[in-house]
Amino acid sequence: MRLRTGRALTSLAVVCGLLAAGACSAEDSPEAAGTAVEPGPDAVSEAERLYQIVNESNAITDELTEIEHRVTKRCLEDEGFDVHDPMEFQKSHTAAYTAGGYLSGAPLWAVPTAEAAEQWGFGVWTEFVRNSADEDLAEELLTPEAMAAFVIFDEEDMGLDTSEWDAQDADYHAEWIEAYTGSPAIDEGVKGPEPDPEAPLGGCWLQMVETMYGEPYMVSYEGEDGEEGGEFAETHEPSPVLALGEFEDYSALFDAVRDEVDAFESCLIDGGYADWELDDSFNMPLWQYFGQMYDPAYFEEYGEEGIEIPEGPEEVPADFMGVLELERAMAVDFAACGQESDLRPAIEEGWAAMLVEAFQPIETDLVAWRDTMQGHLDNAQDYLQE
């Protein structure tokens, strides 16, 4: 039997969060989706309702992670450890990836709304603004609204400050690890003391789990390439959403809205964008096209081969804001074609139908899970107030 440390659990949670709701499974056992749902306003309304439950569940996941850390730290501090390994106490941002509602993750990057296009273009600039020579631009442009729209986290919020932990000597690290995991640390040489991945978890981690949940939730896995399987411990039962696996089928959605895609691309041709076409995942080389204008040095060194990029303007603005104005103007044109061709509403309704098919069969389980986890959260809050 192999048990995971909090560091491994955090990594799993981060991966699942980055892939968005439903795109990661700890047990890799996707369930069958529901019956076919017809795209349309009714599907949108139902998707919005179901996604509210998903958002609430993801918010509880984040709250549970935070309070797990607080309960564990109380145990460690009672044993005399005031400095903690930040890798074991990383913040959870699961809810942020679905905060945009049922359209979170929908393939709408090439067809923004008119309002978003005017304000933010396609959002390509967000990935390069911190590399700009003008340091004030990031603070000016990355408003709370923009960061929420493009799921961008504050660097201070995401960054791990390891200075206090690094300032402690190897003996402190080893003693802290043993208090946290319940097993002696192993010495990895260059890295120094590390948790033993083969040892059953105990210590303050297990005390936290028993305080909040009664016992760890065990996840079994099958071995690969002839290797023996095993199991690892999670702090609690994962959300039923994770058991769905990957249900988003971009190609099927593309086929369903092919008439609107053709109308969209015809509109682009009429507007002077003859070289721009959507692939069957609704992608266009927008990142490469504008990225090489925002940061030419990066693309000169790391540019991707094999990707056809439409020819840029004859004169590329020399400053970041000039390129951003180009991006905004082009996004406005694409947004107009998205509405004229009905492509954007067709994607929205088709995406909604896909989500309803996936989420309706697990709604009862998801609500029950949410309520159970809320109970654990309430109990932990009561414990911390003692």
Side-chain angles (χ1 to χ4, degrees), residues 340-361:
E340 180 181 322
S341 64
D342 287 329
L343 178 57
R344 183 175 176 99
I347 294 174
E348 291 178 355
E349 293 180 358
W351 185 257
M354 191 182 301
L355 294 183
V356 172
E357 288 178 19
F359 289 134
Q360 268 186 345

Side-chain angles (χ1 to χ4, degrees), residues 95-274:
Y97 291 98
T98 57
Y102 86 96
L103 290 176
S104 300
L108 292 165
W109 35 81
V111 282
T113 64
E115 296 77 13
E118 290 177 5
Q119 190 170 8
W120 299 315
F122 299 106
V124 176
W125 60 272
T126 63
E127 298 194 40
F128 296 93
V129 67
R130 286 183 171 133
N131 299 342
S132 169
D134 188 344
E135 295 180 358
D136 295 334
L137 277 181
E139 184 175 348
E140 174 188 341
L141 295 173
L142 289 176
T143 62
E145 294 76 17
M147 294 179 75
F150 296 102
V151 195
I152 301 168
F153 300 117
D154 189 289
E155 286 186 320
E156 293 182 3
D157 194 29
M158 288 299 290
L160 289 177
D161 183 0
T162 64
S163 57
E164 278 192 292
W165 176 255
D166 293 340
Q168 307 301 313
D169 59 24
D171 288 341
Y172 181 93
H173 287 178
E175 291 170 3
W176 185 95
I177 289 169
E178 184 167 356
Y180 175 65
T181 67
S183 298
I186 57 176
D187 192 345
E188 289 291 340
V190 175
K191 291 183 178 180
E194 290 282 313
D196 183 352
E198 300 293 338
L201 282 168
C204 285
W205 184 89
L206 183 59
Q207 182 174 320
M208 173 273 293
V209 172
E210 291 176 341
T211 298
M212 291 184 61
Y213 307 106
E215 61 183 3
Y217 180 81
M218 304 306 299
V219 180
S220 300
Y221 63 91
E222 297 181 0
E224 297 180 359
D225 299 327
E227 292 186 0
E228 185 180 352
E231 58 183 4
F232 60 87
E234 292 274 16
T235 57
H236 58 77
E237 179 184 2
S239 166
V241 170
L242 298 185
L244 289 175
E246 293 187 24
F247 61 84
E248 301 93 339
D249 190 338
Y250 294 123
S251 294
L253 180 59
F254 186 88
D255 289 340
V257 300
R258 188 174 292 275
D259 289 346
E260 287 83 358
V261 168
D262 291 342
F264 172 71
E265 292 178 347
S266 294
C267 178
L268 292 184
I269 291 171
D270 293 342
Y273 299 100

Side-chain angles (χ1 to χ4, degrees), residues 7-71:
R7 182 170 302 169
L9 297 175
T10 299
S11 299
L12 178 64
V14 169
V15 170
C16 291
L18 289 173
L19 291 176
C24 179
S25 171
E27 299 186 45
D28 195 25
S29 57
E31 298 178 357
T35 55
V37 176
E38 190 70 23
D42 289 344
V44 169
S45 297
E46 180 66 351
E48 289 173 339
R49 185 187 71 80
L50 290 167
Y51 223 72
Q52 180 62 34
I53 301 173
V54 173
N55 288 341
E56 291 168 357
S57 300
N58 288 339
I60 287 176
T61 297
D62 291 345
E63 291 180 53
L64 284 171
T65 299
E66 181 183 354
I67 211 160
E68 286 172 5
H69 294 168
R70 290 172 60 193
V71 172

